[in-house]
Amino acid sequence: MSLFYMSLLEIILWVILLFAIVCVIRVIKGPTIWDRVLGFSIISSKLVLIIAIFSSMRNTAYLLDLAIIYTLFGFLGEIFLITFLSKNVKERG
Amino acid sequence: MENLLHIISNIFIVVGTFFILIGVIAIFKFKDFFSRILSTSKIDTVGAITILSGLAIRHGISWFSAKTILLMILILIINPLKSHTLLRYAVISGHKNKKAKGNKEVAK
């Protein structure tokens, strides 16, 4: 199926990384700023998955703490971003 | 027993990746912001939980599965909160639905 031996987890890792990169296009193309924030939150949730799969590939559990903390602080950061945006954004359309 | 767990977890992971593929397609298919956020946030949560449960099954009863289940619970709580806050502040700050091709009646 693939040229060199790649376990299923590694293939899934590359596929989800590809999806995250495709979401960057939505962040760039997004007409309104809210699409950009949505793209940002989708990418960060995909990154959590990438961390989880990577830690499963290495059979170590300590990387999952990274994913948990990243989810929490990603949520925190996004709340502050949104509250700032809602006061300062001026819809052009 | 060992490769049975691996087969089941592989199935879960592939199905989760398929969900995430649908989420990515939904991001580009929908033309306006509201239908886009409605679909991607839900599909993303489901895809994440399917993949994480696949990973938890792969490792059986261990610290890894315990942390994965905790991560699943957190994602189940945080993703809807994220989308709700984003949607609420978008509507409050005056994001109107433009005359998208798909839904003319919304624009009125």
Side-chain angles (χ1 to χ4, degrees), chain A residues 16 49, chain B residues 12-13 15-21 40-54 75 79:
Chain A
I16 291 187
L49 281 181
Chain B
F12 266 73
I13 288 171
V15 167
T17 316
F18 183 66
F19 282 152
I20 289 187
L21 172 67
T40 48
S41 63
K42 275 204 283 272
I43 292 176
D44 218 41
T45 316
V46 167
I49 285 176
T50 320
I51 285 187
L52 287 175
S53 56
I75 283 181
N79 257 346

Side-chain angles (χ1 to χ4, degrees), chain A residues 3-36:
Chain A
L3 296 173
F4 43 89
Y5 177 69
M6 244 162 91
S7 70
L8 173 76
L9 278 184
E10 201 168 335
I11 296 169
I12 299 288
L13 198 75
W14 287 107
V15 166
I16 291 187
L17 191 65
L18 178 74
F19 289 157
I21 289 166
V22 166
C23 288
V24 169
I25 300 174
R26 169 51 59 191
V27 172
I28 293 166
K29 204 177 73 169
T32 63
I33 196 160
W34 305 107
D35 296 309
R36 294 196 169 94

Side-chain angles (χ1 to χ4, degrees), chain B residues 73-92:
Chain B
I73 293 168
L74 273 182
I75 283 181
L76 201 59
I77 293 170
I78 279 182
N79 257 346
L81 271 178
K82 259 185 180 184
S83 320
H84 171 69
T85 319
L86 180 57
L87 201 55
R88 191 166 181 284
Y89 276 95
V91 172
I92 280 177

